[in-house]
Amino acid sequence: PEAITVQELANRMAEKGADLVKALFKMGMPVTINATIDQDTAELLVTEFGHNIQRVSDADIDLVETEADADETLQPRAPVVTIMGHVDHGKTSLLDALRGTDVVRGEAGGITQHIGAYQVTLKDKSKITFLDTPGHEAFTEMRARGADVTDIVVLVVAADDGLMPQTIEAINHTKAAGVPMIVAINKVDKHEANPQRIRERLLEHNVQVEEMGGETQDVEVSALKKIGLDTLVEKIQLQAELLELRANPDREAEGTVIEAKLDKGRGPVATILVNRGTLRVGDVFVVGAESGKVRALVNDKGMQLKEAGPSVPVEVLGLSGVPMAGDPLQVVESEARAREVAAYRAGVIQQKRTTNTPASLESMFSALK
Ligand code: GTP
Ligand code: MG
């Protein structure tokens, strides 16, 4: 079985090493802080301190505590919408058109940056966050890694083309994720467009839109001619209302990497979607197997922010390296702690690569509150 030092275990439990030594003494084990204890003893200690054991599995290399927020701390947050669909069916065009409905964009006057996620502020001041995922692989990959950030999927289907392989894939992924879907039947400006045929074809894939007696919402749009955009936005808002999306903004931030890159001038940059809490300049964090301190937060309009709350996508500068899409970001109390967690995760990843045996991973564990 795996072994761990008392100090290491204390760190993971966010407890004082001395307290663990004391508890071990009471359990009849007089040991020092640097002593190695076996897994069973460690588990016993963890339970003794009122923490839960969480074994680290392949998809879950996480040892920062993540307790649920109390109901009274929750506040409404913007929905996170992912646009999916077959190649050339107009995903990017639709995103661009929806961006055009942003009332803040014009005022900002900044140069529009392409970041993989952006937020639109509507006339009624409500907001919608859109994820510009490059493809289904990214969506599936993120889900496989436990990063379920999407609240609603908008499936784009070109009315002049029909259901294509990637449309069907997108339907399946969305169903597997249990995420509500809105079908945007695009390119209705084209004379060969046949929206009704799309609705019929969707039935074959068990997607029953309202007009066909089902519950899935659909809307005819033209990204090119800007037709149906308001209706699409309304349907997204309606769906979001049903979901009653809420998060606690008043806590250390947790987020998810949407994309990350090494920028020539700025170093490692990650686009983070804040899931809960508020991320601030100066915050110390761990993100995947990297750590850092927020040097700057930049939104999709190229504006520097002091802070970003739930459902807000931001570029984060000040990382030690480039994390992976889907990696969780968590604000922690100290840089030492951030580096330690990052190093631990890097170690697990390394071990996974070298041994490639899930069993050895399972035998590692972390303590969560
Ligand atoms: P990929 O990113 O390659 O998967 O494509 P996409 O789904 O993002 O499609 P994109 O927005 O790039 O649009 C593909 C082509 O369809 C472009 O030439 C667009 O101008 C055209 N297009 C998109 N929306 C419409 C529309 O509503 N009407 C018409 N007529 N053309 C459209
Ligand atoms: Mg595109």
Side-chain angles (χ1 to χ4, degrees):
E2 292 286 328
I4 187 170
T5 70
V6 177
Q7 181 65 65
E8 220 183 318
L9 181 63
N11 291 344
R12 287 188 207 171
M13 290 164 65
E15 296 283 356
K16 288 202 186 76
D19 291 343
L20 263 68
V21 171
K22 235 183 273 172
L24 282 164
F25 188 82
K26 278 192 207 151
M27 285 160 65
M29 291 183 65
V31 295
T32 68
I33 199 151
N34 294 316
T36 303
I37 52 176
D38 65 24
Q39 189 175 330
D40 288 347
T41 310
E43 287 197 6
L44 212 60
L45 260 183
V46 170
T47 335
E48 185 79 35
F49 277 76
H51 299 266
N52 294 321
I53 307 279
Q54 195 192 344
R55 289 180 187 274
V56 175
S57 70
D58 214 309
D60 185 17
I61 309 167
D62 199 359
L63 37 86
V64 177
E65 60 202 51
T66 53
E67 70 251 59
D69 290 300
D71 201 59
E72 63 271 17
T73 64
L74 302 179
Q75 290 181 30
R77 64 168 179 83
V80 178
V81 178
T82 298
I83 311 254
M84 299 213 274
H86 194 72
V87 183
D88 274 354
H89 278 200
K91 299 178 294 294
T92 303
S93 304
L94 188 60
L95 280 162
D96 287 348
L98 288 164
R99 260 183 139 163
T101 64
D102 189 347
V103 296
V104 173
R105 190 157 303 275
E107 298 162 13
I111 298 158
T112 300
Q113 302 215 167
H114 179 84
I115 74 173
Y118 63 89
Q119 200 173 57
V120 165
T121 304
L122 304 160
K123 283 179 218 119
D124 65 359
K125 296 276 189 290
S126 68
K127 294 170 196 292
I128 302 176
T129 300
F130 288 100
L131 294 190
D132 193 355
T133 56
H136 308 147
E137 302 86 55
F139 182 79
T140 312
E141 165 81 10
M142 298 237 310
R143 231 167 52 73
R145 307 192 58 222
D148 263 326
V149 293
T150 303
D151 300 311
I152 297 166
V153 164
V154 168
L155 178 71
V156 179
V157 189
D160 64 334
D161 199 11
L163 264 56
M164 300 300 281
Q166 281 182 49
T167 316
I168 293 153
E169 257 180 55
I171 292 170
N172 294 337
H173 290 316
T174 306
K175 279 190 178 165
V179 174
M181 183 170 78
I182 297 169
V183 182
I185 303 175
N186 190 31
K187 307 198 188 185
V188 293
D189 59 283
K190 287 194 156 184
H191 71 271
E192 61 268 45
N194 189 347
Q196 193 53 28
R197 197 181 47 136
I198 304 289
R199 294 188 186 97
E200 286 161 14
R201 291 286 321 278
L202 282 167
L203 265 183
E204 293 165 25
H205 294 275
N206 294 318
V207 178
Q208 200 169 1
V209 299
E210 281 175 335
E211 220 165 290
M212 307 295 280
E215 307 213 312
T216 304
Q217 306 206 63
D218 72 297
V219 49
E220 294 184 15
V221 296
S222 164
L224 198 71
K225 297 274 153 66
K226 315 244 184 305
I227 300 166
L229 298 179
D230 289 346
T231 313
L232 175 58
V233 166
E234 271 166 32
K235 297 208 171 185
I236 291 170
Q237 288 178 307
L238 197 71
Q239 186 59 255
E241 264 170 44
L242 294 175
L243 295 172
E244 290 183 41
L245 304 164
R246 298 187 302 163
N248 175 8
D250 302 314
R251 53 163 293 145
E252 335 67 84
E254 286 179 16
T256 306
V257 178
I258 302 302
E259 60 181 17
K261 62 180 182 211
L262 188 61
D263 190 285
K264 258 191 202 156
R266 304 184 297 168
V269 179
T271 299
I272 300 292
L273 177 72
V274 178
N275 304 123
R276 57 176 179 166
T278 297
L279 186 62
R280 297 190 169 86
V281 172
D283 276 351
V284 172
F285 61 85
V286 56
V287 57
E290 303 294 340
S291 60
K293 184 172 181 173
V294 180
R295 203 171 71 224
L297 296 172
V298 184
N299 73 5
D300 56 309
K301 297 161 187 84
M303 293 154 64
Q304 297 239 358
L305 306 180
K306 284 200 179 77
E307 54 176 49
S311 293
V312 175
V314 271
E315 278 192 333
V316 175
L317 278 68
L319 295 88
S320 63
V322 181
M324 293 193 293
D327 275 345
L329 175 142
Q330 289 130 329
V331 168
V332 292
E333 68 279 4
S334 70
E335 288 180 60
R337 173 82 177 134
R339 278 194 297 268
E340 181 201 20
V341 175
Y344 171 77
R345 287 178 180 169
V348 172
I349 294 165
Q350 190 59 38
Q351 183 182 356
K352 187 180 145 196
R353 284 208 191 107
T354 48
T355 62
N356 202 22
T357 50
S360 72
L361 267 179
E362 270 161 32
S363 66
M364 298 181 77
F365 56 88
S366 66
L368 297 187
K369 255 185 198 155

